[in-house]
């Protein structure tokens, strides 16, 4: 059984934020730490397994009700804390999420709203000027990935067979499509959007970097240095991009000008 201590999300959070205190008063499955990276404070967020999770469907690192709302809380509080800062704190989502939590209680209590809250918070952070980086160290599956990391300015992944980006796990997809796992893998090899192979997925152009790490489960100092340099570059690149807020502002100004012109012509 995967435990918090040996999940990739927990391993890489500890590597990137060594000995950094975790933020208190959060659910145990959402770990948050502020650490120095290249001379600035970066907020790292990871969803990790919790064997004692109040919701049994979310014990293995899945993103469920508690996780969705906690991610939203953390990101929104980061935005509020930095509201008066000229330079916004980067947010790095350390991604190892096998699935969203499926269950009757989750559906009844509105898991879609919890995950939407997380999505909205990450998008709001980008609008507010926070560089948001997604670092995929394990699985990035289904609604869990949409809620934790997919909204990033830049996505970085480790090139490893344990890293998967997909809407559904292989076994579930095989059952639904009435195929064997082997048949599904052969089909996916020729269709990048279906690919479980991260190097094949990378051909879609959605990753800014695909990194070769010697041992993702026990990264060396060289592995860590490579990831840190890549994350630093992604943060720098994100800051150079025109923000979505600026683009929306320009579009709104153009729309307003068009409306005024149409009114002038009409009169």
């Amino acid at each position: 059984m995967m435990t918090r201590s040996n999940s990739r999300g927990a391993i890489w959070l500890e590597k990137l934020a060594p000995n950094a205190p975790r933020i208190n008063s959060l659910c145990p499955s959402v770990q948050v730490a502020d650490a120095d990276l290249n001379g600035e404070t970066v907020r790292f967020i990871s969803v990790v397994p919790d064997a004692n999770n109040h919701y049994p469907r979310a014990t293995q690192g899945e993103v469920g009700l508690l996780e969705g709302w906690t991610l939203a809380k953390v990101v929104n509080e980061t935005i509020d804390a930095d509201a008066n800062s000229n330079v916004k704190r980067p947010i790095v989502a350390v991604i190892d999420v096998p699935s969203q939590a499926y269950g009757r209680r989750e559906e009844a209590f509105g898991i879609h709203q919890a995950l939407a809250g997380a999505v909205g918070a990450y998008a709001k952070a980008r609008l507010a000027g926070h560089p948001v980086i997604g670092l995929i160290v394990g699985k990035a599956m289904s609604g869990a990935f949409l809620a934790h990391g997919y909204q990033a300015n830049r996505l970085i992944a480790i090139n490893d067979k344990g890293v998967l980006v997909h809407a559904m796990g292989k076994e579930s997809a095989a059952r639904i499509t009435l195929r064997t796992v082997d048949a599904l893998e052969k089909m996916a090899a020729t269709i990048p959007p279906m690919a479980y192979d991260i190097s094949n997925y990378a051909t879609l152009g959605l990753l800014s970097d695909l990194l070769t790490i010697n041992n993702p489960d026990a990264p060396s100092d060289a592995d860590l240095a490579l990831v840190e340099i890549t994350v630093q570059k992604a943060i720098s690149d994100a800051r150079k991009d025109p923000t979505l807020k600026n683009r929306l502002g320009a579009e709104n100004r153009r729309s307003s000008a068009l409306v005024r012109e149409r009114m002038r012509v009409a009169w």
Side-chain angles (χ1 to χ4, degrees):
M1 177 180 293
M2 183 69 75
T3 65
R4 187 188 311 167
S5 61
N6 67 4
S7 77
R8 282 193 178 176
I11 289 168
W12 280 95
L13 178 65
E14 181 57 35
K15 283 291 184 179
L16 291 164
N19 304 314
R22 304 297 187 256
I23 293 180
N24 295 322
S25 71
L26 302 177
C27 65
S29 51
V30 177
Q31 298 285 301
V32 182
D34 290 326
D36 179 83
L37 184 66
N38 195 33
E40 72 173 327
T41 299
V42 175
R43 173 150 289 184
F44 295 94
I45 306 174
S46 183
V47 177
V48 302
D50 174 23
N52 299 313
N53 197 304
H54 182 70
Y55 294 93
R57 296 287 187 177
T59 59
Q60 300 297 306
E62 297 87 352
V63 179
L65 290 159
L66 292 176
E67 292 73 26
W69 288 126
T70 302
L71 288 170
K73 169 185 169 69
V74 168
V75 176
N76 279 316
E77 287 180 349
T78 307
I79 297 168
D80 292 342
D82 290 8
N84 296 321
S85 299
N86 291 328
V87 179
K88 308 300 183 184
R89 197 176 349 172
I91 299 172
V92 176
V94 182
I95 304 163
D96 180 19
V97 284
S99 175
Q100 69 188 69
Y102 294 100
R104 287 183 294 177
R105 284 193 295 175
E106 283 77 8
E107 294 295 333
F109 295 160
I111 188 173
H112 60 289
Q113 293 179 323
L115 301 190
V119 171
Y122 274 118
K124 182 180 176 183
R126 286 186 58 172
L127 285 170
H130 292 267
V132 179
I133 309 302
L135 175 62
I136 307 172
V137 299
K139 294 179 179 178
M141 307 294 282
S142 152
F145 182 34
L146 295 178
H148 181 55
Y150 189 68
Q151 311 303 319
N153 298 85
R154 296 289 187 277
L155 285 172
I156 302 165
I158 293 174
N159 190 7
D160 179 75
K161 64 181 181 180
V163 175
L164 305 176
V165 180
H166 210 277
M168 188 178 295
K170 290 182 183 180
E171 290 76 11
S172 298
R175 285 196 301 271
I176 288 177
T177 60
L178 302 179
R179 291 180 170 87
T180 65
V181 171
D182 287 343
L184 192 67
E185 287 181 337
K186 289 178 181 177
M187 181 181 294
T190 62
I191 307 173
M194 293 181 61
Y196 289 90
D197 181 344
I198 189 64
S199 62
N200 196 1
Y201 177 87
T203 63
L204 294 174
L206 299 178
L207 299 177
S208 62
D209 287 282
L210 184 62
L211 306 179
T212 299
I213 300 297
N214 292 324
N215 187 354
D217 294 310
S220 65
D221 290 343
D223 292 334
L224 179 60
L226 174 61
V227 170
E228 288 181 335
I229 290 171
T230 306
V231 170
Q232 290 170 19
K233 180 179 181 299
I235 291 171
S236 177
D237 289 345
R239 284 200 168 118
K240 294 174 185 176
D241 283 348
T243 66
L244 180 58
K245 184 176 181 180
N246 288 341
R247 291 200 298 271
L248 288 175
E251 290 170 1
N252 288 338
R253 287 192 295 273
R254 286 196 295 270
S255 297
S256 296
L258 181 59
V259 169
R260 288 194 298 271
E261 176 62 17
R262 287 178 176 174
M263 290 178 66
R264 185 187 66 79
V265 171
W267 282 100

